[in-house]
Amino acid sequence: MKSGKKSDFKTRISNSKWSIVVLSAAAVIFIVLCCMCRTPKASDSLGADYAEYESGAVVSIISDSTWQDEDSDGAYRGEQSLVVEVKSGQYKGEQLLADNAIGPLYGVPLDVGDNVILLISTYSDGDVRATVHEYNRETAIIIVVLLFMLTTVLVGGKTGAKSLISLIITVACIFCILIPLLLKGFPTLLTVFITCAYVAIVSFVILGGVSKKTVCAICGTISGIALALLFGLFAQSIARIDGLRVSDVEPLLQLRQTGTPIGLRGLLVGGITVSALGAVMDVAMSLSSAMYEIKEVDNSIGRKALFKSGMNIGRDMVGTMTNTLILAFIGSSFVLIIYLYSLGLQPHLLFSSAFLAIEVISGVASSIGVILSVPITALISSIILSKTKKAC
């Protein structure tokens, strides 16, 4: 019995050797890039003024001038003066006086015991000042994420657990590699594209190992995001708009003016590429899996017939996925759309708005990537799956 188990284990390792090689190489690349992206802490600049974000808790409320503004739908306005105990960083354990500014668009009234994020400014003369940056929502976010993970595993089982690992890696790539590299001045579009390709390869290998099916999905995904990127460049060129007109880009513009070499013009198309990645991966994997199953059921099916079947399946996917992407972009800018509509602008003035143009370009370019990934994935799958008489 034991020898049988050992034999099964060796067989699994043998079948997964290429997956292990790919994931090991991906891990090495990830670690190297993380080391490259490491930035010194603000406090490392001795003798200079600097600011740090640390966690803290409200110990007492010295004064409270908050009130509810009915004209702002009952939102609070005013200010609180608080004594807070610092829970992290170099001032951990110390109590500081902190101001909490409150308005409809920022801040919330705080009570004793509430956890907060503090902005602590340290000056070269030794003076230390603290302000409440935000209410600490870490616990709430952890609960929401854990419920999501639990639901995914309960419903998806082993595949759901693999998808969570893939999601964690994707988020880690964005925050530990992509954003730091962009802040260091790496080419925006090239960096975004390579990161997306890396995420696609690692995710598919985790989900399905190295096989013909995953190779088809990887090729289709990389082709799809490349086309979304190219169409985004074309669209922003004829609309005469770029990343400098993206909402909330002003802080990054100020950051660039103070010496951070981030490329701002590519952020619009870079965002399109990242947003298209998930949908393109979904379509590419679903289509390659379906075509793989068709080939398994009928090994005698020819390349043309297999391609035609793939296209028929892909057309059904396009119908729903395009709606999903467009509605996702509309939902993310719902407040802005309501505001623009309230202005009562004529259609030609409305469509000339930079904000609306950005949303249209983003939604359409992402959808183009998804749509064109269908024939590309179908073509690649029909070629690769038909190379041998017996599908692997």
Side-chain angles (χ1 to χ4, degrees):
M1 183 68 72
K2 288 183 179 179
S3 61
K5 287 183 178 180
K6 286 182 179 179
S7 177
D8 289 342
F9 179 74
K10 288 181 179 179
T11 302
R12 288 179 185 176
I13 294 295
S14 177
N15 292 338
S16 304
K17 63 181 179 181
W18 283 113
S19 299
I20 294 170
V21 169
V22 172
L23 293 178
S24 299
V28 171
I29 292 170
F30 183 85
I31 293 169
V32 170
L33 289 175
C34 282
C35 293
M36 283 177 55
C37 295
R38 185 181 177 275
T39 55
K41 293 182 179 179
S43 55
D44 292 342
S45 305
L46 298 176
D49 299 341
Y50 61 90
E52 300 171 289
Y53 291 92
E54 305 293 351
S55 59
V58 178
V59 176
S60 63
I61 300 174
I62 298 175
S63 64
D64 188 337
S65 62
T66 58
W67 54 283
Q68 280 187 292
D69 183 6
E70 295 302 326
D71 292 334
S72 299
D73 202 13
Y76 281 90
R77 292 182 183 272
E79 189 174 355
Q80 291 178 309
S81 183
L82 313 167
V83 174
V84 294
E85 181 179 347
V86 184
K87 298 291 186 180
S88 65
Q90 62 175 323
Y91 299 108
K92 183 179 180 179
E94 296 186 27
Q95 292 189 356
L96 302 175
L97 184 66
D99 293 325
N100 179 32
I102 303 162
L105 305 179
Y106 53 87
V108 295
L110 297 171
D111 297 317
V112 173
D114 283 345
N115 293 317
V116 295
I117 301 297
L118 299 169
L119 174 60
I120 303 176
S121 301
T122 304
Y123 299 92
S124 55
D125 61 2
D127 188 22
V128 179
R129 297 180 186 177
T131 57
V132 175
H133 175 67
E134 262 295 0
Y135 174 75
N136 192 338
R137 298 179 175 87
E138 184 177 6
T139 302
I141 295 300
I142 289 174
I143 292 172
V144 171
V145 171
L146 286 176
L147 288 173
F148 162 71
M149 294 174 71
L150 179 62
T151 304
T152 303
V153 173
L154 289 176
V155 176
K158 187 178 179 181
T159 302
K162 287 182 178 180
S163 70
L164 287 177
I165 296 172
S166 172
L167 177 60
I168 291 169
I169 291 172
T170 300
V171 173
C173 286
I174 291 173
F175 287 98
C176 299
I177 294 177
L178 177 58
I179 294 176
L181 287 178
L182 293 180
L183 290 174
K184 285 181 176 292
F186 279 68
T188 303
L189 295 182
L190 181 60
T191 305
V192 168
F193 178 75
I194 292 175
T195 303
C196 288
Y198 174 89
V199 167
I201 293 169
V202 173
S203 298
F204 284 136
V205 171
I206 290 173
L207 289 170
V210 177
S211 64
K212 286 187 175 183
K213 180 170 63 176
T214 53
V215 169
C216 295
I218 288 169
C219 294
T221 298
I222 293 175
S223 300
I225 59 175
L227 291 169
L229 188 152
L230 292 173
F231 187 84
L233 286 172
F234 166 74
Q236 78 166 16
S237 174
I238 62 174
R240 296 189 181 183
I241 199 166
D242 54 34
L244 289 171
R245 301 297 296 273
V246 175
S247 60
D248 301 326
V249 77
E250 186 176 355
L252 292 181
L253 183 59
Q254 294 173 354
L255 202 61
R256 183 179 174 86
Q257 292 170 347
T258 57
T260 302
I262 183 171
L264 301 179
R265 292 188 180 276
L267 290 180
L268 172 57
V269 178
I272 291 170
T273 307
V274 173
S275 63
L277 177 60
V280 175
M281 286 177 64
D282 185 16
V283 168
M285 190 59 178
S286 299
L287 185 54
S288 63
S289 295
M291 294 179 68
Y292 177 84
E293 292 301 323
I294 291 171
K295 186 65 176 176
E296 283 284 287
V297 172
D298 183 6
N299 193 46
S300 63
I301 188 171
R303 185 177 296 176
K304 281 188 176 180
L306 185 60
F307 174 74
K308 185 178 180 181
S309 296
M311 286 299 297
N312 289 335
I313 297 168
R315 289 189 183 101
D316 291 334
M317 294 179 183
V318 166
T320 55
M321 192 57 67
T322 302
N323 263 351
T324 301
L325 281 172
I326 298 297
L327 290 175
F329 278 105
I330 291 175
S332 65
S333 305
F334 197 47
V335 174
L336 175 62
I337 291 170
I338 292 174
Y339 170 70
L340 292 174
Y341 184 85
S342 71
L343 298 178
L345 299 174
Q346 295 295 323
H348 67 280
L349 295 175
L350 185 63
F351 286 119
S352 294
S353 162
F355 301 106
L356 188 63
I358 286 172
E359 295 307 318
V360 170
I361 290 171
S362 299
V364 172
S366 298
S367 298
I368 285 287
V370 172
I371 293 168
L372 294 182
S373 68
V374 168
I376 293 173
T377 305
L379 179 61
I380 292 171
S381 298
S382 65
I383 294 171
I384 293 178
L385 297 177
S386 299
K387 274 190 175 180
T388 56
K389 292 183 178 180
K390 190 173 182 180
C392 67

